[in-house]
Amino acid sequence: FTSFYLTLCYDALNDYESAIQEAKIFLEKEPNNWVMHLALSEVYGKIKNESKKKEEIEKTQEILKSSTDAGSKNPKEYFLLCQIYRNQHKISEAIAVVESIKLISLDKEMRRDVHFLLANLYYEDKIFDRAEEELQMTLKLDPDFHEANNFLGYLFVENNKNLDEAIHLINKALKAQPQNGAYLDSLGWAYYKKAQVEGRNDYLVVALKKLLEAVQFMEEPDIYEHVGDVHYSLGDWDKAVKAWEKAMALYRQALASETKIEDIAIKLEKTKRLISVEKRGTRFIENRRGVGNSTQP
């Protein structure tokens, strides 16, 4: 294992060629050591050798799949294989790997993490009922797990159901992390949805307050989009346009999907048209008033 530790040391010293050489010496004797293949893939990534990096990740994946298929008792192997599939956008395969972890003996904290990971994977796969089920299991094991409280609350909000429970869950998450921008965004969005259901502008005011707090801690395009939506609902169209333009700039910077950007563009076009019509109407009324108030010479 001298070569194993030398690989790590050379990597830390940015001597990547020596790190690669020591890794290869190690793998000559332990060709199925996924830890070293993974470490080697990271070294290749640092020197921008993408083909070699991909090759080492594929070897890591092959070894891990063989081990987990054989009933490995090491949870780390399942989690890493899941992450590799996730990075490849193979969500169904990632879910299958994590589901199989349930077959091995785990402590309470690890079981909680498995359910939470599955909730995220099912959410990514748009299987929302299973995501909700896994989050409920997560919170059954750890009721104070703030990430799960926020996630379940936001899931309820997105689906326009259990809004009071959603607000309770998100507030519970905020009690643990009061300056978490994502949690403040969740709470603001919950009040926005509640305002829509109950037709109450006072909830829109609360929603805007929470969302503006959120952007103080986290400049995310989703939050600015939510701010714009609330401003629009309150009739502050100019402010809505500014928030959406900020959201679009951040979406583009983050290389978000074209669908997201198109949605914002539609909102902007519609609202700018309304502002233009309103201004023309105002000018027309002012002109009519001017004509009505004029006196004949």
Side-chain angles (χ1 to χ4, degrees), residues 108-250:
K108 186 176 180 180
E109 184 176 348
M110 188 70 73
R111 282 187 288 125
R112 179 202 71 180
D113 292 343
V114 166
H115 286 298
F116 188 65
L117 177 55
L118 278 170
N120 281 272
L121 292 169
Y122 281 122
Y123 182 83
E124 286 180 34
D125 212 27
K126 297 184 176 7
I127 307 175
F128 300 127
D129 56 336
R130 289 301 306 274
E132 181 181 332
E133 183 182 315
E134 293 297 335
L135 285 169
Q136 296 283 14
M137 290 297 297
T138 304
L139 290 171
K140 187 175 180 180
L141 290 165
D142 185 355
D144 296 321
F145 190 32
H146 56 86
E147 292 98 327
N149 277 305
N150 176 69
F151 192 174
L152 182 56
Y154 192 78
L155 187 60
F156 284 152
V157 172
E158 278 195 323
N159 289 284
N160 284 310
K161 71 175 192 178
N162 305 340
L163 293 178
D164 288 329
E165 184 181 353
I167 289 171
H168 169 72
L169 289 166
I170 297 164
N171 273 319
K172 196 171 180 182
L174 276 166
K175 189 175 180 180
Q177 292 194 353
Q179 296 184 336
N180 187 307
Y183 298 174
L184 286 164
D185 174 52
S186 297
L187 187 59
W189 199 234
Y191 275 107
Y192 170 76
K193 291 297 185 76
K194 193 169 172 63
Q196 286 187 316
V197 171
E198 300 184 17
R200 289 179 54 174
N201 277 3
D202 57 331
Y203 285 150
L204 287 175
V205 173
V206 174
L208 184 60
K209 179 184 176 184
K210 295 301 176 184
L211 292 168
L212 291 175
E213 283 182 45
V215 295
Q216 298 302 310
F217 299 108
M218 182 182 289
E219 281 218 332
E220 289 292 328
D222 289 345
I223 305 177
Y224 278 104
E225 184 176 1
H226 290 164
V227 170
D229 290 349
V230 177
H231 276 310
Y232 180 85
S233 295
L234 286 167
D236 296 330
W237 295 343
D238 288 319
K239 291 180 181 179
V241 167
K242 288 180 182 177
W244 287 331
E245 285 177 340
K246 177 71 173 179
M248 179 177 278
L250 290 171

Side-chain angles (χ1 to χ4, degrees), residues 237-238 241 271-280:
W237 295 343
D238 288 319
V241 167
T271 307
K272 286 178 179 179
R273 195 182 306 124
L274 287 171
I275 292 170
S276 178
V277 169
E278 184 182 54
K279 285 179 179 177
R280 286 201 304 271

Side-chain angles (χ1 to χ4, degrees), residues 2-165:
T2 303
S3 291
F4 182 91
Y5 292 112
L6 280 171
T7 300
L8 301 181
C9 290
Y10 281 129
D11 181 22
L13 292 168
N14 301 328
D15 184 353
Y16 301 124
E17 292 304 321
S18 295
I20 291 168
Q21 183 180 346
E22 291 296 337
K24 288 180 176 178
I25 291 171
F26 178 88
L27 288 169
E28 283 177 5
K29 295 190 176 182
E30 292 229 18
N32 291 323
N33 189 298
W34 63 263
V35 177
M36 181 54 79
H37 282 294
L38 182 64
L40 188 52
S41 75
E42 291 173 355
V43 174
Y44 280 128
K46 290 173 182 177
I47 62 173
K48 310 299 182 186
N49 190 332
E50 295 302 320
S51 62
K52 285 291 187 181
K53 175 183 175 181
K54 182 180 178 183
E55 183 181 319
E56 292 303 324
I57 289 174
E58 287 174 350
K59 288 177 182 175
T60 304
Q61 179 180 330
E62 182 182 337
I63 295 165
L64 288 170
K65 187 175 187 310
S66 176
S67 180
T68 55
D69 285 349
S72 167
K73 303 298 182 185
N74 183 356
K76 289 182 181 178
E77 295 188 345
Y78 294 87
F79 283 124
L80 179 57
L81 182 57
C82 165
Q83 190 58 51
I84 291 172
Y85 281 135
R86 203 174 182 182
N87 291 340
Q88 297 169 348
H89 306 291
K90 297 179 179 178
I91 304 302
S92 296
E93 287 89 337
I95 288 172
V97 170
V98 182
E99 286 284 4
S100 64
I101 302 180
K102 294 178 179 179
L103 301 176
I104 66 178
S105 179
L106 302 169
D107 61 29
K108 186 176 180 180
E109 184 176 348
M110 188 70 73
R111 282 187 288 125
R112 179 202 71 180
D113 292 343
V114 166
H115 286 298
F116 188 65
L117 177 55
L118 278 170
N120 281 272
L121 292 169
Y122 281 122
Y123 182 83
E124 286 180 34
D125 212 27
K126 297 184 176 7
I127 307 175
F128 300 127
D129 56 336
R130 289 301 306 274
E132 181 181 332
E133 183 182 315
E134 293 297 335
L135 285 169
Q136 296 283 14
M137 290 297 297
T138 304
L139 290 171
K140 187 175 180 180
L141 290 165
D142 185 355
D144 296 321
F145 190 32
H146 56 86
E147 292 98 327
N149 277 305
N150 176 69
F151 192 174
L152 182 56
Y154 192 78
L155 187 60
F156 284 152
V157 172
E158 278 195 323
N159 289 284
N160 284 310
K161 71 175 192 178
N162 305 340
L163 293 178
D164 288 329
E165 184 181 353

